[in-house]
Amino acid sequence: MIWKFLRGAALAALPAAAIAAAPVDAFAAGTLRIGMTASDIPLTTGQTDQGGEGMRFMGYTVYDALVNWDLSSADKPSVLAPGLAVEWGADEADQTKWTFKLREGVTFHDGSAFNAEAVVWNLDKLLKEDSEQYDPRQAAQGKSRIPAVASYKAVDDLTLEIVTREPDATLPYQLAWIMISSPANWEEQGKDWEKVASSPSGTGPWKLESFVPRERAELVPNPDYWDETRVPKLDRLVLLPLPEPNARSAALMSGQVDWIEAPAPDLVPALEGNGFQIVSNTLPHNWTWHLSRMEGSPWNDVNVRKAANLAIDRESLKQLLGGLMVPAKGFLPPSSQWFGEPEFDVRYDPEEARKLLAESGYGPDNRLKVKALISPSGSGQMLPLPMNEFIQQNLAEVGIDVEFEVVEWNTMINIWRAGAGSESALGTQSINFSYFIQDPFTGLIRHLSCDLIAPNGTNWGHYCDPEMDALFKEIRTTFDPEAQDEVLRRTHEKYVNDALFLMVTHDVAPRALSPKVKGFVQAQNWFQDFSPITIEE
Amino acid sequence: MLTYFIQRLVYVVPVSLGVSVFCFLLVHIAPGDPLTAVMPIDATAEQQAAMRAAYGFDKPLPVQFLVWLGNALTGDLGNSIATGRPVAGEVMRAVGNTLILAFAASLIGFSLGILFGFVAGYFKDTPVDRAVTALSITGVSVPNYWLGIVLVVIFSVTLGWLPSTGAGPGGSSAWKWDVEHLRFIILPAVTLSVVPMGIVARTVRALVGDILSQDFVTALAAKGMGRAGILRHVMRNVAPTTLSVVGLQLGYLLGGSILIETVFNWPGTGFLLSNAIFQRDLPLLQGTILVLALFFVFVNLLVDLVQPLVDPRIKRG
C-alpha cells in the first residue's frame, strides 16, 4: 500500500522534475550507463557467469564465438551467423568430423593474431584439466555447453577440425556459447586468470577498460573490430549491477543510468507515460509447468494435459502482467523458426476442457486433484505467486483442484535437478520452471530425452517416448540447416500435439530506456547488440 | 588495569569461537546449493560432483568447519565461490566502504543525538522537550529503509538534487572526500543516522534530567556556581553511559545495514552480505559475518577499556 502510494507520488511528480533534471554523473555525451539485474560484474575472462545476462553484457561485447548469433533484427527470430569462423561443415563420409574455416586478419585487443591455435588453446582452457591455461571458473560455465566435443586440432593457421562424440548437427549452436580469449594476453598477465580478469582481451566490438568488482565496469569501442558495421557508435558503455528492482528504477528516474533491465511490471505503465521508452520483444524463454510422467501421475492422460492447457485464460493473465508477456501457443514462442504447424490449438476454451476431462471420467462429483511445486521468486520465473494463483483459479473452474508445495528458489533448483522421482519432490506432479530455449538442445532435446532423465540430466518428468527420441536423433544427424529446421518443426509439433507441458507464457525481456537512447534494436535473443546505439542530448 | 585488559582480551577468544561456530552452522543449515552460483543450472551431475569436491563441500560438516577455522586463523577466509576472489579482500573493501558510511552517519547521528538529548533534558517537560522527544521517538520508530525510499523519491526522483545509488563517480575505489562524492553519501548517511540519533538523544535526555535533579547539582547551585559550570559537571556525569550507548550504536553502524545499503546500492558489508545470501556464496557469507561479529566484540572491548578513563568511579582490575 505504502509502496503504491509512494510510487504514485513519485511518478506524479516525474514530468515536472525528473526528466528535466540534469544527469547526476558527469560523462561525455555518447556514454550509455546500464543498470543490470546481476549483483556483480559478470566474469570478464571469456566464459561469463551470471547466466544469459552475463553473456549479453560481458560475453558478446568483449568477445566473439566461432559462430555468433545474428542480433541485427527485431522482427525475425534470431539465427546463427558467422563469427570468428566464416564457414563450417561436417565431413560427408565421417559426420563426426567438422571443419571450420576461420576469419582472416582478426586481432585480439592486445594486438596478437587470432588463429586456429588460439581456438585450440581456448578449448583446452575449458576441457583439458592438465593444460596450463585450464581455468576451473570458466570451465564450470563452458564445459556443459559443448557436450558434443570429443577432440579438436589446428589443421593450419586458419583451419580448425573438431571431432564430435557421435554425429551431432547441433554443434554450431553449442559453439555459439564459447567465447574466445587471447592466449598472448594470458601469457602477458603472468599466466594468471585473476590478472587477466582486470585486463582481459578478446576480439569483440568492445574493450573492457576498467572494472570495480560488484560496482561497475567500463567498456570502450574497439575501433579495429573486424565487422566494420558493428564498430560501436558510443564513446563508452558503463555497466552497473543494480540487483534491487526499486533501486534500479530510482536510478533511471533520477538520471543516474540511461537504461535498466527488467523494470518492475507495475511501474511500466507509469514509466511509459512519463517519456521513458519501454522496449520488449519475444524472447526464447518459456514459463511452464513441467509435468511428471511417473507412474500414477494424472498428467499421463493426454486428455488431462490438453484440458489444463485449454483452461488457462492467457489474455487475462497478460493483463495481470501489464501486457508484458507473450501468451503461449506452444512450447516455443509463436514467432520461433521452429514453431511449425501443430494441430492442437493452445487456446482458452473451458467448455472443451470440461468435455475432455469428462471423457477421462472426471466431473463435478469426481474432481481431479493435483499437487504442484512452485517457488515464490527466482531467475526467469516472472511473478510466480500471482501467476500460479491465477492458474490455480483457472484450473479449478474446469474441475482440477491444485494443491501447491511452495519452496524457496534454490531448493527448487535442487528438486529440478533431482527429478520428479526423487523424495525431495514431495510427491508433486509438476514443477513450475522457466526455461532458456534458444537452441535445439536447450529448447527441445534436454527436457524430454530418454537418456537425460533426472538426476542424470534435465528431463525432470521422466518422460520417455521412442518416437520423440527418434526425432531428437534426427535433429542431431541432419546436417543441412534447412532440413534440420524442418525436423525441429516436427519435433515441436509433437510437443504441442501431445500437450507435453502446461504451456503458459513467454517473457518479453522488458527494459526501460531514457528517451535519449536511440538506435537500439532488441533482437529475439537473450544476447543483444550495443553497437548501433547512440545517445542524443 | 593491565590484568583487566588481559582478562577482557582473553574473553574475546571463546566469544569469537562461539561466533564462528554459530555463523558456520547458520550458513550451512540454510537451504540451497552454493554451486548454483557458479554453474549453469543444467550442468551434469558428474560436473556438479567434481565442483563440489573442488570446493570441499563433499566432506562432513565438522571437517569443513575445522578446515575453514584453520585457514581463518591464518587470515585466509577462502575464496568467494561466485567471484573466485579472496574473501578477505572482498570483505576488507566492503568494510572500508561501510566505515565511510558509518563515519558520516555517526557524525550526524551522535552529534545531533547528544545535542537534542541535552536540550530536551535541560528543558525537561517543556514544549522544547516534547518536540525533541517526539523527533527522537520518530527516528527510532520509522523503519529506516522506508525512510531511505522516501528520501530517494523526494531528493533524487522528484527534485533531482542528489544521486540515489552507488558510491560516486568511478565507484568506491575512487572515493574522495570532495563535494562530487559527498553528494552520494548524504542520503544513505542521513537515513542510517536516524536510529542512533534517536537512541542517543533519548539516553542523554534521561541522564541529563536525572543528574540535574540530584543533590550535588543543588549543592553546586547553592555554592553559587554558574549555569555553564553546572552543565560541565552534568556533562562529565553523562559521558560514561553515553559512551557505552554510542559504542553499541557504533557497532551496529559498522556492521553495515543490509537494507539501507541495498536501497542505496552502497557497496559496503550489508550489500555484500545480501549478495552472498542470494548467491549462496558460503565462504563469503561466513567470512563477512565473522569479520562483522569480531568488529562488534572489539568495539565493545574498546568501550569497556575507555570507560574507566572517562569515569574514575569505574575501577577495573
Side-chain angles (χ1 to χ4, degrees), chain B residues 37-307:
Chain B
V38 283
M39 303 193 84
I41 52 174
D42 51 358
T44 65
E46 187 191 340
Q47 285 164 353
Q48 288 172 44
M51 202 63 166
R52 200 162 274 127
Y55 280 103
F57 290 132
D58 55 341
K59 299 197 178 70
L61 272 192
V63 176
Q64 286 188 43
F65 175 69
L66 289 177
V67 170
W68 176 70
L69 190 65
N71 290 335
L73 285 176
T74 64
D76 173 13
L77 295 173
N79 285 344
S80 152
I81 297 177
T83 69
R85 294 186 287 265
V87 169
E90 292 250 28
V91 177
M92 283 310 146
R93 191 170 37 237
V95 165
N97 295 334
T98 293
L99 280 180
I100 293 174
L101 187 57
F103 177 73
S106 27
L107 213 62
I108 302 168
F110 298 153
S111 52
L112 287 184
I114 292 170
L115 179 72
F116 287 169
F118 242 95
V119 171
Y122 194 78
F123 297 106
K124 205 169 178 183
D125 298 327
T126 65
V128 178
D129 173 29
R130 276 191 285 276
V132 172
T133 307
L135 196 68
S136 59
I137 288 179
T138 312
V140 177
S141 324
V142 165
N144 52 13
Y145 62 91
W146 178 83
L147 180 70
I149 293 164
V150 172
L151 292 179
V152 165
V153 167
I154 296 172
F155 292 99
S156 299
V157 174
T158 309
L159 298 172
W161 291 349
L162 293 168
S164 63
T165 63
S172 67
S173 56
W175 176 262
K176 287 190 198 73
W177 292 94
D178 60 10
V179 178
E180 195 44 53
H181 287 82
L182 285 177
R183 299 177 60 220
F184 281 80
I185 209 172
I186 294 176
L187 290 183
V190 167
T191 314
L192 193 57
S193 69
V194 167
V195 170
M197 185 197 77
I199 291 175
V200 170
R202 287 204 306 175
T203 313
V204 172
R205 173 188 174 272
L207 287 168
V208 169
D210 183 42
I211 290 165
L212 279 175
S213 66
Q214 281 182 18
D215 291 347
F216 84 92
V217 176
T218 321
L220 286 175
K223 274 171 66 186
M225 183 179 267
R227 190 178 280 184
I230 291 176
L231 269 184
R232 212 165 35 242
H233 279 275
V234 173
M235 243 180 252
R236 287 210 59 174
N237 279 284
V238 167
T241 316
T242 308
L243 192 70
S244 61
V245 172
V246 163
L248 214 56
Q249 291 303 312
L250 190 65
Y252 282 120
L253 290 179
L254 291 179
S257 160
I258 291 197
L259 295 171
I260 289 174
E261 290 185 0
T262 304
V263 167
F264 292 100
N265 229 53
W266 184 265
T269 47
F271 188 62
L272 191 66
L273 266 183
S274 94
N275 286 341
I277 291 167
F278 280 113
Q279 296 186 313
R280 294 299 185 279
D281 196 339
L282 302 191
L284 185 60
L285 197 53
Q286 275 160 223
T288 315
I289 296 176
L290 183 69
V291 170
L292 293 184
L294 292 183
F295 248 133
F296 216 85
V297 172
F298 278 102
V299 169
N300 276 324
L301 175 68
L302 202 68
V303 169
D304 279 0
L305 295 177
V306 172
Q307 254 175 346

Side-chain angles (χ1 to χ4, degrees), chain A residues 286-293 299 304-306 308-310 314 328 330-332 344 346 416 430-431 433 435 437 443-444 446-448 458-461 463 468 472 492 494-504:
Chain A
N286 67 16
W287 192 101
T288 64
W289 282 14
H290 195 147
L291 306 174
S292 165
R293 305 301 297 275
W299 301 112
V304 173
R305 299 200 298 272
K306 284 190 171 170
N309 271 293
L310 294 171
R314 295 172 183 80
F331 190 72
L332 299 171
F344 176 54
V346 176
W416 177 70
S430 64
I431 187 167
F433 216 81
Y435 287 116
I437 44 172
L444 297 168
R446 65 170 170 161
H447 310 295
L448 298 178
T458 55
N459 177 350
W460 184 80
Y463 169 93
M468 187 65 98
F472 291 156
H492 182 250
K494 184 169 168 64
Y495 258 72
V496 182
N497 290 339
D498 293 352
L500 296 174
F501 288 76
L502 181 60
M503 299 166 274
V504 182

Side-chain angles (χ1 to χ4, degrees), chain A residues 12 28 38 162 170 177 216 223 348 416 507 520:
Chain A
I162 295 183
T170 66
W177 277 106
R216 67 202 279 118
Y348 178 48
W416 177 70
D507 199 0
F520 173 56

Side-chain angles (χ1 to χ4, degrees), chain A residues 42-225:
Chain A
L43 190 58
T44 58
T45 46
Q47 218 54 49
T48 59
D49 53 8
Q50 315 270 2
E53 194 172 33
M55 284 290 278
R56 185 181 318 139
F57 289 114
M58 202 52 82
Y60 271 69
T61 46
V62 179
Y63 298 93
D64 284 300
L66 289 180
V67 183
N68 283 350
W69 284 98
D70 180 358
L71 304 171
S72 61
S73 169
D75 311 323
K76 290 184 300 218
S78 194
V79 294
L80 294 181
L84 291 175
V86 284
E87 55 183 78
W88 54 86
D91 191 300
E92 276 181 23
D94 176 2
Q95 290 183 324
T96 63
K97 201 157 111 189
W98 289 71
T99 306
F100 289 80
K101 282 279 170 213
L102 305 185
R103 195 174 289 280
E104 210 178 330
V106 176
T107 52
F108 289 102
H109 299 155
D110 58 294
S112 62
F114 163 77
N115 54 29
E117 281 301 337
V119 182
V120 169
W121 185 91
N122 271 278
L123 289 170
D124 281 348
K125 161 187 97 177
L126 304 177
L127 301 176
K128 199 167 162 219
E129 287 181 35
D130 56 356
S131 66
E132 222 184 340
Q133 71 272 28
Y134 179 75
D135 180 12
R137 291 178 54 68
Q138 291 186 73
Q141 299 299 331
K143 197 176 167 187
S144 60
R145 304 294 187 193
I146 40 173
V149 176
S151 67
Y152 38 87
K153 68 174 184 209
V155 177
D156 60 44
D157 218 27
L158 293 174
T159 313
L160 176 81
E161 185 184 288
I162 295 183
V163 177
T164 59
R165 290 174 207 283
E166 44 194 67
D168 193 339
T170 66
L171 180 68
Y173 289 100
Q174 298 183 16
L175 291 174
W177 277 106
I178 304 304
M179 303 283 101
I180 305 294
S181 36
S182 161
N185 181 54
W186 175 78
E187 297 269 354
E188 206 169 297
Q189 308 294 332
K191 304 186 176 185
D192 180 351
W193 283 112
E194 267 312 296
K195 289 193 185 131
V196 174
S198 40
S199 48
S201 170
T203 58
W206 297 89
K207 299 192 225 185
L208 180 72
E209 193 187 61
S210 65
F211 92 108
V212 183
R214 297 185 194 277
E215 289 181 50
R216 67 202 279 118
E218 301 200 7
L219 280 62
V220 293
N222 169 15
D224 306 322
Y225 188 57

